[in-house]
Amino acid sequence: MMASGGKRRSRAAIIISAAVAVVVVVGGAAAAFVWFTRTPENTVPKAQSEAIEHPLTPAEQIVADANDPRACAVTFTGEGAPAEPMLQFQESLYQGLPIPQLDGRVFAGWYPSAADAGAFAVAARVNGADPVVCVDQQVELFAAWKTPEENAAEDVRVPILMYHQFTADPEGEKGWLRGNYAYIGDFDAQMNHIATTGFYLPTWDELSAFIDGRLSLPAKSVIITDDDADQTWFDLAVPVVDKYKVLSTSFMITAYRQDPAPSIYVQRRSHTHDMHQAGDNGKGRMVNWSADQIAADLTTSADILGVGQVVAYPYGHYNDTTKQGVAQAGYEMGRTIEPGYVKIGTDKLALPVVRIDYGMGLDALVSRIG
């Protein structure tokens, strides 16, 4: 009996042990199944997961932050180049490109390749007269430099062209303002010449740096301006500006007109807010008012235009008080009607011009600017 009972207990123990083994095996298999089917983020340690991610470059980051298909990250290469990229927008002109400084060097512009920068290729030089063009929302620009001696030896003279009104009549307009009206056919020929014969169109920032001797400009540089923002400027001249894609400046009297820029190639700048009138002595208000009054007027104009950089003096009238008021308002430059060319060291508050009057065709322009 004892032997028979012992066998039964042994068989029971074996059965129980087998059952436990099955449970352990099944449980282990279930655990293994759960482990193998866990998602990666649950199985990879957080620090390791973060290390696997690829962070955006600074250029990629500013494009991502902009969240705009037109956004373009501009990176700069070369001596003195900014380390950080700059956000620009395609379908617009470059805005505020940096003008770096190095002791004993003169900046000679931005170029789309190192070879262009080394050759100072004027046709390739990039500035605020050029539309932003990117590949995959990025573009790289290369810096070029010259010595102060090289820059001075080039003796560059920059003409600022001054237009007023325009006419479609080849015979011109009648009356005392006849000379102010440029024939639109002449204007078209002149802009075509500038656009197709290798002229460089500096921005006002560049002109200021050029005057300081900090920036080298090509020998064939020219600035195109119009005074008063007359309706004929909008109706006749702006289509020509657009046609040839030439950077120009419209000096606006903001008390009379505050039109938005009619083209990406037209910069709005101040012809004062309400000083294009005669003062007490018959001359312009800019030589009748106090520096504080002048500054207040120009501040109003800058607030409307969104920029207070350069002013065209009404009637060309200015004096030391005028200059004081202009500087007090935060403007850097003042444009006169005195004939001449801008050079290194020119008085920034007395910029000269090349005036274009009725009857001055292409030959007249070429004789003045090359």
Side-chain angles (χ1 to χ4, degrees):
M1 293 292 295
M2 292 296 296
S4 176
K7 288 180 181 180
R8 284 197 297 272
R9 285 194 296 271
S10 296
R11 284 198 298 272
I14 291 170
I15 292 170
I16 292 170
S17 298
V20 170
V22 168
V23 171
V24 170
V25 169
V26 171
F33 176 79
V34 171
W35 187 88
F36 277 116
T37 57
R38 290 172 69 186
T39 57
E41 59 268 26
N42 291 331
T43 61
V44 180
K46 183 177 181 182
Q48 182 181 347
S49 175
E50 291 176 350
I52 291 173
E53 294 177 2
H54 298 288
L56 299 178
T57 66
E60 291 170 335
Q61 189 64 59
I62 65 170
V63 168
D65 291 343
N67 193 29
D68 187 322
R70 300 175 303 118
C72 178
V74 183
T75 54
F76 304 97
T77 299
E79 288 186 87
E84 295 300 317
M86 170 182 273
L87 180 65
Q88 299 281 341
F89 290 93
Q90 297 178 89
E91 303 173 13
S92 301
L93 302 185
Y94 280 96
Q95 300 293 317
L97 284 176
I99 301 175
Q101 297 186 55
L102 287 176
D103 290 341
R105 307 291 293 280
V106 177
F107 185 59
W110 295 109
Y111 299 82
S113 73
D116 288 329
F120 305 110
V122 175
R125 185 166 167 172
V126 175
N127 77 331
D130 299 305
V132 179
V133 179
C134 299
V135 176
D136 296 329
Q137 294 188 275
Q138 296 191 41
V139 66
E140 184 177 16
L141 298 180
F142 295 80
W145 296 88
K146 294 184 178 181
T147 67
E149 293 74 21
E150 288 173 321
N151 189 47
E154 290 170 350
D155 192 27
V156 173
R157 302 187 306 159
V158 181
I160 300 176
L161 304 183
M162 179 179 67
Y163 294 88
H164 284 86
Q165 291 83 24
F166 298 84
T167 178
D169 185 353
E171 300 300 318
E173 299 297 315
K174 303 293 189 284
W176 67 279
L177 283 177
R178 173 182 172 84
N180 271 8
Y181 281 83
Y183 172 51
I184 195 63
D186 290 334
F187 183 68
D188 187 291
Q190 291 163 354
M191 295 304 103
N192 178 57
H193 175 72
I194 288 171
T196 60
T197 59
F199 276 88
Y200 182 79
L201 301 170
T203 63
W204 292 105
D205 285 344
E206 289 181 303
L207 188 71
S208 176
F210 165 75
I211 292 171
D212 291 339
R214 297 186 292 111
L215 177 73
S216 170
L217 287 179
K220 291 177 67 174
S221 294
V222 63
I223 292 178
I224 303 160
T225 73
D226 172 77
D227 282 13
D228 304 335
D230 183 78
Q231 191 60 43
T232 58
W233 160 254
F234 291 91
D235 295 343
L236 298 177
V238 170
V240 175
V241 167
D242 263 343
K243 176 181 176 181
Y244 294 112
K245 298 178 172 59
V246 288
L247 185 69
S248 61
T249 296
S250 175
F251 285 114
M252 302 183 73
I253 310 165
T254 52
Y256 305 154
R257 300 199 74 142
Q258 300 178 13
D259 308 62
S263 163
I264 65 169
Y265 294 99
V266 175
Q267 308 171 95
R268 302 186 308 161
R269 294 297 186 269
S270 179
H271 204 16
T272 75
H273 178 64
D274 196 20
M275 287 192 284
H276 205 297
Q277 300 185 46
D280 293 339
N281 64 359
K283 294 186 177 181
R285 287 180 171 178
M286 290 207 82
V287 291
N288 275 271
W289 283 6
S290 69
D292 287 344
Q293 289 173 307
I294 292 169
D297 177 280
L298 291 177
T299 298
T300 298
S301 182
D303 289 343
I304 293 169
L305 297 174
V307 60
Q309 181 183 44
V310 58
V311 57
Y313 300 136
Y315 317 114
H317 296 167
Y318 72 101
N319 56 22
D320 288 342
T321 303
T322 303
K323 290 182 176 183
Q324 181 183 345
V326 170
Q328 190 173 313
Y331 285 62
E332 192 176 5
M333 291 170 282
R335 202 222 62 197
T336 73
I337 61 170
E338 296 168 359
Y341 302 84
V342 178
K343 306 176 184 179
I344 298 172
T346 292
D347 183 350
K348 289 186 183 182
L349 293 176
L351 301 178
V353 300
V354 173
R355 182 185 177 102
I356 305 296
D357 293 326
Y358 174 76
M360 294 175 63
L362 179 58
D363 290 343
L365 180 77
V366 171
S367 70
R368 288 163 173 79
I369 71 171

